Amino acid sequence: MKKILFQGIAIAALFFMTWFLLSQVNWVDLFRVQKITDKTEQRTGDLFWDFFRKTENEIKNPFVVNSIDSIVTKICNANHIDRERIKIHILKKDDVNAFALPNGHLIIYDGLILASDNQEELSGVIGHEMAHIVLSHVMKKLVKDVGIASIVSMTSGKGGTEIIKEAVKKISSTAFDRKMEKEADIKAVDYLLKAKINPEPFADFLFMISEKENDAMKYFAWINTHPDSKERAENIIEYSKNKKVDFKSVLNIETWDGLKEKLKD
């Protein structure tokens, strides 16, 4: 009798444990996101990049492109990220901004590069956006913001220009949720540490833009898409402290200074 009673309790406990675990999963979001196939993400990313390519001025100067590529490649190699997955595009625009598009497209405005006091600040922002890509935040945000129907409509050629414009605006100028931002920050710090890049200047950059939130909204577009800058900076400092790493610059000082001079031309 005791054995039967024990088995009954065990089965009941297993049932309630399974029920609890399953209840923690957002099945609607999970199935909705999984419906977005890799092919659809590729088409969406290419469609969005084509929009920027036609409407913005892309910087193709080899010195500029190779300098930024060196930073991206260093982060990728140190963190076992497929370099081919990250597609960097540098655009001529005063806004201090960078953002990820579907299918690994990463847009960087030269205003961000010029506003960065050092390459470590820039590396932190790049690492943060790469984290959004690797953690699949971009498509999840897009599904939430514009819906699966709109995405399918765009990629099938049935969506009008206005739908594409609205989707591009959503992905480039609205914030990820707080959980995703924190995940991307922590992942970016891990990226930087493994690449032997000091993450503290990234926190300094966030402190700096938090101080400018009231008077520089026009140009500091990264403020709009990455709120709570001061709190995030403090979290980065707390997370990265006591982690002893022999930090090294990716670019030498001449290359970094030359990069900024090229962009000022």
Side-chain angles (χ1 to χ4, degrees):
M1 186 69 182
K2 289 183 179 180
K3 184 177 180 181
I4 295 174
L5 180 62
F6 177 78
Q7 289 177 337
I9 294 173
I11 292 172
L14 181 61
F15 170 79
F16 284 110
M17 183 180 294
T18 303
W19 174 82
F20 174 77
L21 292 174
L22 291 176
S23 69
Q24 303 306 301
V25 179
N26 189 329
W27 293 102
V28 174
D29 284 350
L30 180 61
F31 285 126
R32 288 173 69 195
V33 171
Q34 288 180 336
K35 288 180 181 179
I36 305 298
T37 63
D38 290 341
K39 196 168 186 180
T40 300
E41 180 173 354
Q42 179 182 347
R43 289 175 177 173
T44 305
D46 292 346
L47 184 69
F48 284 10
W49 163 238
D50 191 56
F51 176 86
F52 281 100
R53 183 179 61 81
K54 292 177 178 178
T55 57
E56 305 287 352
N57 182 18
E58 184 179 9
I59 297 174
K60 297 183 179 181
N61 181 287
F63 183 85
V64 174
V65 173
N66 290 337
S67 297
I68 300 301
D69 182 73
S70 294
I71 295 174
V72 175
T73 299
K74 177 69 174 180
I75 295 174
C76 285
N77 290 344
N79 292 276
H80 307 292
I81 300 170
D82 182 2
R83 178 62 188 86
E84 298 300 316
R85 183 178 181 182
I86 311 298
K87 307 169 185 68
I88 297 293
H89 310 286
I90 307 166
L91 302 183
K92 186 72 175 176
K93 196 161 186 176
D94 291 335
D95 291 14
V96 180
N97 202 12
F99 49 89
L101 300 177
N103 195 35
H105 292 280
L106 203 167
I107 306 292
I108 301 173
Y109 289 157
D110 71 332
L112 170 66
I113 302 172
L114 291 170
S116 300
D117 288 336
N118 50 65
Q119 59 182 283
E120 287 79 14
E121 288 185 356
L122 177 63
S123 298
V125 175
I126 289 174
H128 178 93
E129 296 304 328
M130 287 173 59
H132 280 314
I133 293 171
V134 174
L135 294 171
S136 301
H137 288 170
V138 185
M139 284 303 290
K140 289 177 182 178
K141 171 179 165 56
L142 194 61
V143 168
K144 179 180 178 181
D145 287 352
V146 305
I148 292 175
S150 293
I151 296 172
V152 173
S153 178
M154 286 186 296
T155 56
S156 63
K158 297 178 181 178
T161 304
E162 291 305 314
I163 295 179
I164 297 174
K165 283 184 179 180
E166 183 62 25
V168 168
K169 182 179 179 181
K170 286 281 188 182
I171 204 71
S172 64
S173 63
T174 59
F176 288 89
D177 63 39
R178 291 172 66 91
K179 181 181 178 182
M180 287 184 178
E181 287 296 349
K182 186 172 183 178
E183 286 178 348
D185 281 341
I186 296 304
K187 180 65 75 173
V189 173
D190 287 337
Y191 287 166
L192 296 176
L193 290 172
K194 289 181 180 179
K196 297 184 177 181
I197 300 172
N198 188 357
E200 187 172 335
F202 177 39
D204 292 339
F205 180 80
L206 290 171
F207 275 126
M208 182 268 291
I209 63 175
S210 72
E211 294 172 354
K212 296 180 179 292
E213 286 182 358
N214 293 326
D215 59 6
M217 294 297 286
K218 178 179 179 181
Y219 292 113
F220 277 78
W222 220 62
I223 293 174
N224 295 327
T225 55
H226 298 76
D228 306 313
S229 302
K230 183 178 180 180
E231 179 184 339
R232 292 173 55 220
E234 292 170 346
N235 289 338
I236 289 171
I237 293 295
E238 179 64 25
Y239 179 76
S240 59
K241 73 179 183 181
N242 300 326
K243 289 182 170 65
K244 296 182 179 180
V245 177
D246 183 17
F247 299 123
K248 298 179 181 179
S249 298
V250 178
L251 307 176
N252 59 44
I253 190 63
E254 292 80 10
T255 301
W256 173 250
D257 290 343
L259 169 62
K260 300 190 82 168
E261 286 300 319
K262 286 287 185 184
L263 295 177
K264 290 176 183 178
D265 293 342

